[in-house]
């Protein structure tokens, strides 16, 4: 997957992450692994937590669209159990 001009301009890629952002990226990867093993609800919970930690992330917004069918700005409506 090539990084688009929009993604590069966002400043999200090729930069050092804060500890909070590192945790969000870990949770995104964990969500993907859980979903691949058909543990959908657990994957969604990880993704919801990741979005709370890094709501403006383009990668997380893409994951929201594919997992929940949500667009940007919908992160605040995700459940936090």
């Amino acid at each position: 997957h090539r990084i688009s001009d929009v993604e590069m301009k966002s400043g999200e890629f090729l930069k050092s992450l804060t500890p909070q952002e590192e945790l969000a990226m870990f949770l995104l990867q964990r969500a993907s692994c859980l979903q691949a093993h058909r543990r959908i609800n657990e994957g969604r919970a990880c993704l919801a937590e990741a979005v709370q930690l890094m709501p403006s992330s383009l990668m997380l917004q893409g994951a929201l669209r594919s997992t929940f069918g949500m667009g940007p700005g919908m992160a605040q409506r995700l459940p936090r159990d």
Side-chain angles (χ1 to χ4, degrees), residues 22-41:
E22 286 183 30
L23 179 56
M25 291 296 103
F26 166 78
L27 290 170
L28 173 61
Q29 294 301 316
R30 181 159 175 78
S32 178
C33 291
L34 287 166
Q35 291 171 349
H37 290 276
R38 302 189 193 283
R39 294 168 64 179
I40 304 301
N41 290 334

Side-chain angles (χ1 to χ4, degrees), residues 15-77:
K15 71 168 191 126
S16 297
L17 299 176
T18 66
Q20 183 172 325
E21 291 168 332
E22 286 183 30
L23 179 56
M25 291 296 103
F26 166 78
L27 290 170
L28 173 61
Q29 294 301 316
R30 181 159 175 78
S32 178
C33 291
L34 287 166
Q35 291 171 349
H37 290 276
R38 302 189 193 283
R39 294 168 64 179
I40 304 301
N41 290 334
E42 291 170 279
R44 286 181 173 177
C46 282
L47 182 56
E49 189 62 34
V51 170
Q52 296 299 321
L53 293 169
M54 201 173 167
S56 62
S57 167
L58 294 177
M59 282 191 287
L60 291 174
Q61 293 299 330
L64 281 176
R65 282 191 296 278
S66 66
T67 302
F68 290 99
M70 296 179 162
M74 297 298 291
Q76 294 77 18
R77 297 183 186 176

